[in-house]
């Protein structure tokens, strides 16, 4: 948005104010600092880029945007809009870029009185601004708890075969359920049979021969800690784990095979063959007829085809998700932290991540959870199966 504004006026300054704890949403404060520095570089020396993290005791939700003229006496005319929408095309009332349509409320003014009132509130906020460093050094329990939990991702391991994630599910009729354990026709038609459905994978030749690679033995033991949400893993370490898969020859070969097998014409051939086989089962009264099952399956495969990250996680056999609670979810956050601390108390072995967490808890310093350059290199070597270098700072731990 700022770039578009700069195309129409002589833009001299862009100032961002945001809730301090947003520095943990999908990133770490250090990551956000790097992104802001890159933004400053992108605008060049003619535009001053500055930011003010705010911590006022409660999360902000309404968004405010303003473009104000700078005069020799300070500020002159301008435009202010305040509402619920983000600084995106749909959020600001533009034509949506996809099928989702935002419903937002917004108040806009160019009246001098309104602009000056906004600038007064703006200055009040800036007078209470802090820095990103304070997000990493939290002494109040609530902020520290949120920062600690949000500094990692939560892992769930996918059990079973990778092909199950791209299978078609067929609902059995009562007749089918009664015959499923004895009928050789049904047994030949379906795999992974339970009491209700049959699961078939039209991409079995691709998915089941993927040579899927899980994390190395010992990864979760050394680099994750159990909580009731899942395995907590530092963001830096999980990013390296995903990178190791992304650049592996095994995954590259699998990805290429998957893209080839799911090209439009080949996908249509698979659907046609599957539809013919399913019709026979419907005619015999063994499976439920669902007209849209193949459309839904095709849409699922196309989404997966366009989401390389999801394919990586399938290949890795782990899914990672962000902390699902915001800063105000006190009881939920305390529950997750209690489960994490319980695990730490029961872990006799001083693993890499356990040591990091204990030090962060003792010093109230979340920078401890970020990898040093030597630790990063050591983890990369370990993930790649290379001999670790000495003196990396993590030599004391067993991998």
């Amino acid at each position: 948005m700022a770039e578009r504004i700069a195309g129409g006026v002589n833009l001299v300054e862009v100032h961002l104010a945001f809730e301090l704890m947003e520095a943990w949403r999908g990133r770490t404060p250090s990551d956000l600092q790097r992104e802001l520095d890159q933004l400053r570089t992108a605008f060049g020396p003619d535009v001053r880029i500055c930011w003010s993290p705010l911590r006022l005791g409660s999360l902000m939700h309404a968004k405010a945007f303003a473009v104000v003229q700078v005069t020799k006496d300070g500020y002159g005319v301008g435009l202010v809009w305040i509402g619920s929408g983000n600084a995106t095309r749909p959020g600001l009332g533009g034509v949506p870029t996809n099928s989702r349509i935002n419903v937002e409320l917004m108040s806009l003014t160019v009246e001098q009185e309104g602009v000056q009132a906004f600038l007064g509130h703006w200055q009040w906020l800036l007078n209470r601004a802090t820095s990103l460093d304070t997000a990493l050094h939290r002494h109040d329990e609530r902020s520290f708890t949120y920062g600690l939990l949000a500094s990692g991702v939560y892992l769930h391991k996918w059990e079973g075969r990778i092909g199950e994630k791209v299978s078609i599910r067929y609902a059995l009729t009562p007749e089918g359920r009664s015959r499923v354990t004895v009928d050789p026709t049904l047994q030949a038609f379906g795999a992974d049979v339970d009491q209700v459905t049959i699961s078939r994978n039209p991409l079995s030749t691709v998915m089941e021969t993927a040579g899927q690679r899980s994390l190395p033995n010992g990864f979760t033991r050394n680099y994750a800690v159990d909580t009731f949400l899942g395995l907590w893993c530092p963001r830096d370490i999980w990013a390296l784990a995903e990178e190791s898969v992304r650049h592996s020859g095994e995954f590259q070969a699998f990805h290429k095979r998957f893209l080839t097998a799911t090209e439009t014409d080949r996908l249509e051939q698979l659907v046609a063959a599957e539809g013919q086989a399913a019709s026979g089962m419907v005619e015999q009264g063994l499976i439920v007829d669902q007209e849209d099952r193949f459309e839904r399956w095709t849409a699922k495969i196309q989404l997966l085809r366009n989401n390389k990250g999801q394919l990586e996680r399938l290949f890795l056999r782990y899914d990672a998700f962000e902390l699902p609670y915001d800063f105000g979810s006190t009881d939920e956050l305390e529950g997750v932290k209690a489960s994490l601390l319980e695990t730490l108390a029961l872990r006799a072995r001083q693993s890499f991540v356990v040591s990091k967490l204990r030090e962060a808890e003792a010093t109230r310093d979340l920078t401890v959870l970020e990898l040093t350059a030597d630790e990063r290199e050591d983890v990369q070597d370990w993930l790649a199966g290379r001999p670790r270098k000495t003196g990396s700072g993590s030599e004391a731990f067993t991998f």
Side-chain angles (χ1 to χ4, degrees):
M1 185 174 69
E3 290 178 343
R4 295 183 64 183
I5 292 172
V9 300
N10 181 24
L11 190 64
V12 296
E13 178 180 292
V14 176
H15 198 135
L16 308 172
F18 53 87
E19 159 63 44
L20 175 65
M21 301 316 287
E22 286 290 318
W24 292 104
R25 190 180 294 278
R27 59 170 72 87
T28 66
S30 298
D31 292 333
L32 179 58
Q33 182 72 57
R34 285 189 288 270
E35 291 176 14
L36 292 170
D37 288 338
Q38 291 170 359
L39 181 65
R40 176 179 284 162
T41 301
F43 270 91
D46 295 332
V47 181
R48 181 170 176 257
I49 307 294
C50 46
W51 50 84
S52 297
L54 305 172
R55 179 90 281 267
L56 303 176
S58 59
L59 289 174
M60 297 183 295
H61 183 69
K63 290 85 175 178
F65 312 96
V67 179
V68 184
Q69 183 185 38
V70 180
T71 69
K72 62 180 180 179
D73 299 322
Y75 293 105
V77 298
L79 179 144
V80 174
W81 61 105
I82 301 173
S84 60
N86 294 322
T88 61
R89 181 179 296 177
L92 297 179
V95 178
T97 56
N98 51 41
S99 59
R100 296 182 60 188
I101 298 176
N102 284 21
V103 178
E104 308 288 357
L105 297 177
M106 186 165 290
S107 173
L108 185 148
T109 183
V110 294
E111 297 292 334
Q112 187 72 4
E113 182 179 359
V115 173
Q116 293 302 319
F118 172 81
L119 291 174
H121 288 296
W122 177 256
Q123 192 58 53
W124 182 87
L125 290 172
L126 297 190
N127 290 342
R128 288 156 178 78
T130 180
S131 70
L132 286 177
D133 287 340
T134 61
L136 288 162
H137 300 82
R138 303 302 298 173
H139 294 283
D140 61 291
E141 188 62 29
R142 188 178 179 187
S143 295
F144 178 80
T145 294
Y146 182 84
L148 178 71
L149 299 178
S151 62
V153 296
Y154 295 82
L155 308 179
H156 279 175
K157 185 174 183 180
W158 282 333
E159 302 296 342
R161 296 176 301 182
I162 190 172
E164 294 173 358
K165 307 304 176 184
V166 295
S167 293
I168 300 177
R169 285 281 183 179
Y170 293 92
L172 291 167
T173 63
E175 173 67 14
R177 288 198 296 273
S178 68
R179 293 169 54 186
V180 70
T181 58
V182 296
D183 193 301
T185 304
L186 274 172
Q187 291 181 347
F189 178 74
D192 301 324
V193 178
D194 57 29
Q195 293 182 345
V196 181
T197 64
I198 290 177
S199 175
R200 280 170 60 87
N201 175 19
L203 294 170
S204 59
T205 57
V206 175
M207 305 300 287
E208 304 301 356
T209 59
Q212 64 188 52
R213 169 183 157 188
S214 186
L215 292 172
N217 291 332
F219 179 87
T220 56
R221 185 173 64 251
N222 288 282
Y223 294 129
V225 173
D226 194 31
T227 74
F228 72 66
L229 275 181
L231 290 165
W232 181 93
C233 179
R235 291 179 180 276
D236 283 354
I237 291 177
W238 184 246
L240 293 177
E242 289 187 313
E243 182 182 13
S244 72
V245 170
R246 186 176 305 120
H247 297 296
S248 71
E250 296 168 296
F251 175 75
Q252 296 296 338
F254 161 67
H255 187 230
K256 183 177 180 180
R257 287 197 302 272
F258 182 83
L259 292 181
T260 300
T262 56
E263 291 174 350
T264 302
D265 56 341
R266 298 195 179 191
L267 211 55
E268 291 175 352
Q269 293 172 9
L270 286 174
V271 168
E274 190 68 16
Q276 185 175 2
S279 296
M281 297 296 103
V282 171
E283 291 175 0
Q284 295 180 56
L286 300 176
I287 64 174
V288 177
D289 188 16
Q290 293 176 300
E291 292 183 359
D292 65 339
R293 65 160 59 94
F294 299 117
E295 287 81 359
R296 289 187 284 108
W297 180 78
T298 300
K300 178 173 70 171
I301 297 303
Q302 289 172 337
L303 286 174
L304 191 58
R305 177 184 173 87
N306 296 325
N307 191 337
K308 189 175 181 180
Q310 183 73 357
L311 282 171
E312 291 168 2
R313 290 188 288 276
L314 277 173
F315 198 76
L316 194 63
R317 300 189 67 181
Y318 276 87
D319 199 10
F321 61 94
E322 303 288 342
L323 179 69
Y325 307 122
D326 61 24
F327 185 77
S329 304
T330 305
D331 292 342
E332 291 84 355
L333 294 173
E334 287 299 327
V336 180
K337 186 183 179 185
S339 67
L340 184 145
L341 293 179
E342 181 180 10
T343 300
L344 292 183
L346 296 174
R347 289 279 288 268
R349 180 177 172 275
Q350 186 82 334
S351 71
F352 183 78
V353 71
V354 166
S355 176
K356 288 270 191 182
L357 283 167
R358 285 174 176 165
E359 183 180 352
E361 176 75 14
T363 61
R364 316 299 282 180
D365 182 0
L366 295 172
T367 60
V368 171
L369 299 175
E370 299 183 355
L371 295 179
T372 65
D374 286 340
E375 289 171 342
R376 179 179 296 274
E377 185 177 1
D378 200 32
V379 173
Q380 287 174 321
D381 288 342
W382 184 77
L383 287 168
R386 296 189 294 265
R388 293 184 300 114
K389 300 174 178 61
T390 58
S392 66
S394 57
E395 274 300 302
F397 304 107
T398 304
F399 297 94

